[in-house]
Amino acid sequence: MENKNLITVQSYYQLINEGYVNSEKYYQLFSDDVEIFYQKFGFGKGREGLQKFGQKIIQLIDYLEFDLEKFNYIENKEFVIVEGHEKGITNTGIKFPNNTDSYGKFCSVFQLENNKIKRMHCYVDPDFASQDIERLRILNTLLIEDKTSQTKKIVDEFYDIQFGRRKGNPIDLFADKVDWDLPGNKNKFSWVGKRETKEEVQAFFYELSKNIESEKFEIDFITVNGENATVVGSLVSKILPYNKSFSTTFVVILKVVDEKIVKYHFLEDSYKLNEEMR
């Protein structure tokens, strides 16, 4: 059995897509005493409220389209809740969403009676193209600061374990899937190369312990920005199969997501290593 309330709500969005806002077809979907709510606009009542709302939207947007095929609906006897995606062009010519600061997501709650919309509350940021620069700057800064703090915590923990300042297994800090790379001649040095899983990273530490004896490992500085970190330092290692010491500066590039290391690129003078170990 088809849900007539759902059909009414779908017709509402279809009419907007077809450009019938403020048409008689559009108004017929609503009860005479309909209550509407929209962020920053506030509340409106009846046809007058719908007309005022429509006039305000026209001042903001030149073009609006809903992706109807990707809508999610939650229904019961008198309510239809819609989660969806919208796109368009503002009256200043800016296309939205940009999928960086604006994403076009919205949620609307419809209450219906006799297949007419008697209540429509729409929850969406009316700053469609993210032009509210100051608040956007604050929100993005807070997000970056939070991710920076998480990344620094994990990177510090990784090196605290490496230097013996705390107990633990560095493997536990890695995600199941890892973008790992230590460039070099894999035919000569079994520990170099790309790895993609936590198990492969664990094998790296095993290979490293069999083949290298650390004589010096110093970190000059660590920089962290959001999920990304860079470590700069120098090392001296004894390459056991060749019984020779090797010195180099290094840079480590890390990425931390959900408190797990998902990227680890260790860059050293691999050409020098290959040439010296003969």
Side-chain angles (χ1 to χ4, degrees):
M1 181 178 177
E2 62 182 11
N3 186 327
K4 292 183 179 180
N5 286 342
L6 178 58
I7 293 172
T8 298
V9 171
Q10 291 172 329
S11 297
Y12 165 78
Y13 289 108
Q14 187 64 50
L15 287 173
I16 294 175
N17 278 0
E18 294 173 358
Y20 286 102
V21 179
N22 294 334
S23 69
E24 197 57 38
K25 281 185 181 180
Y26 177 82
Y27 291 125
Q28 285 176 359
L29 297 175
F30 299 90
S31 64
D32 292 339
D33 60 346
V34 62
E35 176 188 274
I36 63 171
F37 172 80
Y38 194 86
Q39 303 284 357
K40 299 294 188 293
F41 170 79
F43 292 90
K45 273 285 197 179
R47 178 176 288 211
E48 182 182 356
L50 288 169
Q51 289 174 334
K52 286 182 178 179
F53 173 65
Q55 290 165 2
K56 296 293 183 183
I57 291 297
I58 288 171
Q59 292 177 34
L60 294 173
I61 301 175
D62 276 350
Y63 168 76
L64 180 65
E65 180 182 343
F66 295 97
D67 193 350
L68 303 180
E69 293 183 359
K70 295 182 180 179
F71 276 15
N72 295 319
Y73 300 99
I74 301 173
E75 312 162 46
N76 70 8
K77 187 176 180 181
E78 59 177 327
F79 286 94
V80 177
I81 299 172
V82 180
E83 179 191 46
H85 181 268
E86 62 187 7
K87 63 182 179 180
I89 304 173
T90 68
N91 64 341
T92 56
I94 299 175
K95 292 182 179 180
F96 65 88
N98 61 24
N99 295 313
T100 301
D101 302 312
S102 63
Y103 299 91
K105 298 290 291 182
F106 73 90
C107 185
S108 291
V109 180
F110 294 84
Q111 184 180 7
L112 297 99
E113 187 177 81
N114 298 323
N115 304 133
K116 298 279 189 180
I117 301 168
K118 64 177 293 185
R119 177 176 175 268
M120 180 182 71
H121 287 197
C122 184
Y123 302 97
V124 65
D125 184 356
D127 181 21
F128 299 99
S130 291
Q131 295 172 286
D132 189 355
I133 302 301
E134 178 59 18
R135 268 162 286 279
L136 185 61
R137 181 191 66 79
I138 292 171
L139 289 171
N140 283 348
T141 300
L142 291 173
L143 180 61
I144 291 172
E145 287 175 352
D146 183 52
K147 288 183 177 180
T148 297
S149 177
Q150 290 182 19
T151 300
K152 186 176 187 305
K153 170 179 172 291
I154 297 302
V155 173
D156 286 347
E157 187 174 344
F158 177 76
Y159 285 107
D160 282 346
I161 294 172
Q162 292 284 84
F163 285 114
R165 293 191 290 258
R166 66 184 295 170
K167 293 181 179 180
N169 188 341
I171 297 301
D172 295 336
L173 300 175
F174 286 86
D176 292 335
K177 298 293 184 182
V178 187
D179 174 13
W180 173 289
D181 193 17
L182 198 170
N185 185 345
K186 195 167 178 59
N187 293 325
K188 288 175 68 172
F189 312 114
S190 61
W191 60 91
V192 304
K194 294 180 180 292
R195 299 171 191 264
E196 297 180 348
T197 68
K198 181 188 288 189
E199 290 74 21
E200 291 174 345
V201 173
Q202 188 167 19
F204 160 82
F205 285 107
Y206 176 71
E207 288 293 326
L208 197 70
S209 67
K210 288 197 308 178
N211 291 279
I212 286 183
E213 182 181 293
S214 179
E215 297 179 343
K216 185 186 84 168
F217 190 94
E218 294 180 350
I219 293 175
D220 295 330
F221 63 87
I222 299 174
T223 61
V224 183
N225 183 27
E227 297 176 335
N228 301 292
T230 303
V231 183
V232 176
S234 60
L235 62 82
V236 179
S237 296
K238 186 173 185 179
I239 312 301
L240 298 178
Y242 296 89
N243 197 30
K244 293 181 179 179
S245 290
F246 165 68
S247 63
T248 184
T249 55
F250 66 83
V251 174
V252 186
I253 301 169
L254 302 101
K255 184 173 184 177
V256 176
V257 177
D258 295 331
E259 299 192 346
K260 294 292 182 182
I261 299 170
V262 300
K263 178 180 180 180
Y264 183 96
H265 287 196
F266 191 100
L267 308 176
E268 61 182 4
D269 192 343
S270 57
Y271 176 81
K272 179 184 176 184
L273 174 64
N274 187 63
E275 291 298 301
E276 290 185 356
M277 299 303 124
R278 295 183 182 275

